[in-house]
Amino acid sequence: MRKRAEIEPIAELDPEEAARDRNFVTALARGLEVLRAFRVGNQPMGNQELAEITGLPKPTVSRLTYTLTRLGYLSYNERIGKYRLGSAVLTLGYSMLAGLTVRDIARPLLQEIADYSGVSAALGDRDRLNVLYVECCRADTAVTLRLDVGSRIPIATSAIGRAFLAGLPEQERGFLMEHIQRRSGAEWPKIKEGIVQALDEVNARGFCTSIGEWTTGVNAVGVPLRRPSGGLMAINCGGPSFIVHRERIEKDIGPRLVRIAQQIEASLVRR
């Protein structure tokens, strides 16, 4: 059995790999995959939709949604025959967020740069091949994407995701890039080029950019955030390209975000 300290979150759920791991509980993993299918802004979903998203057989999904509903993790609307997340999920999520001291430290600094830039800023952690927002701040006048705490964005093409990759040790980054390549298909050469460029940018300037690469018309800058415990997160600032154009990101917002990351890291050390 692997030591507890050596257990790391998986990059993707590989059924064949899971089947070879005698300590891996497949039934539990499938139930959690059903819960993960519900994303921020999603409408309620039925068993057929959940089966299509998760790739699980519909009869399996039906048993899982029944069990999760009985436990309070899903709520069933009998009138439309669909499910939404239940209150028990909130208990888990808020318990996790409440334990993140880094959120309390980062929030005022992220709000400051959001107000200054006129867009939004966020703190994120890795969730498989995505970055999960655990804090998000906006300027009052911001014209931004509809992203908030709980939103997931791709690690390979977003500024915050690339910053996270750049902050990882080489071996861990290589592990993730293998999975990104597997998922990317024909897009991999272009995606790899963007990641390699981000590594060079972080090494040279402390931040990396995504200029319309994640979403057309959206520019962003990302910076790795190292925690005293050895954990890694990342922060970003970004929005519509007509507000945060490339020159402004590279000469102004990027360096400011690096200083904010340094402030957060210093405050974490003092805690």
Side-chain angles (χ1 to χ4, degrees), residues 35-43 45 85 127 130 150 152:
L35 293 179
R36 285 173 56 87
F38 292 88
R39 302 295 177 91
V40 174
N42 273 5
Q43 298 298 315
M45 291 187 286
L85 292 178
D127 178 29
N130 298 292
R152 294 184 181 94

Side-chain angles (χ1 to χ4, degrees), residues 157-159 162 208-215 218-221 249:
T157 55
S158 64
R162 290 173 174 176
C208 63
T209 62
S210 176
I211 308 298
E213 294 166 85
W214 168 52
T215 300
V218 173
N219 296 342
V221 56
I249 279 183

Side-chain angles (χ1 to χ4, degrees), residues 105-114 121 259-261 263-264 267:
I105 295 172
R107 188 181 300 115
L109 295 169
L110 293 176
Q111 188 62 59
E112 181 181 324
I113 195 168
R259 290 194 292 272
I260 285 175
Q263 287 179 265
I264 297 171
S267 296

